[in-house]
C-alpha cells in the first residue's frame, strides 16, 4: 500500500513539473515572437529612411 502512495505522489510531482515547464515555455515563445515582430517593425522603419 505504501508503494502505491509513493507512486501516486511521484506522478503528481511529475505532472506539476510538466505543467510548470509548459507555462514557462509559452512565456518564452511569446517573448521570442514579440522580439521578432519588434525587429520587423524596426527594419521597416529603417528601410523607409534609407529609401527616402
Amino acid at each position: 500500500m505504501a508503494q502505491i502512495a509513493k507512486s501516486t505522489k511521484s506522478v503528481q510531482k511529475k505532472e506539476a513539473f510538466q505543467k510548470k515547464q509548459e507555462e514557462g515555455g509559452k512565456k518564452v515563445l511569446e517573448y521570442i515572437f514579440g522580439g521578432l515582430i519588434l525587429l520587423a517593425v524596426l527594419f521597416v522603419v529603417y528601410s523607409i529612411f534609407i529609401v527616402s
Side-chain angles (χ1 to χ4, degrees):
M1 194 62 146
Q3 185 68 21
I4 293 172
K6 283 184 180 179
S7 176
T8 305
K9 195 179 226 183
S10 174
V11 169
Q12 289 173 346
K13 277 181 140 180
K14 285 181 184 178
E15 288 175 353
F17 180 74
Q18 282 181 333
K19 186 176 180 182
K20 186 177 178 183
Q21 288 289 93
E22 184 178 341
E23 290 172 358
K26 285 181 181 179
K27 271 189 178 176
V28 169
L29 277 177
E30 288 175 1
Y31 284 128
I32 290 172
F33 283 124
L36 287 174
I37 290 170
L38 178 66
L39 287 173
V41 169
L42 289 174
F43 180 72
V44 168
V45 170
Y46 171 76
S47 298
I48 291 171
F49 281 119
I50 291 296
V51 170
S52 59

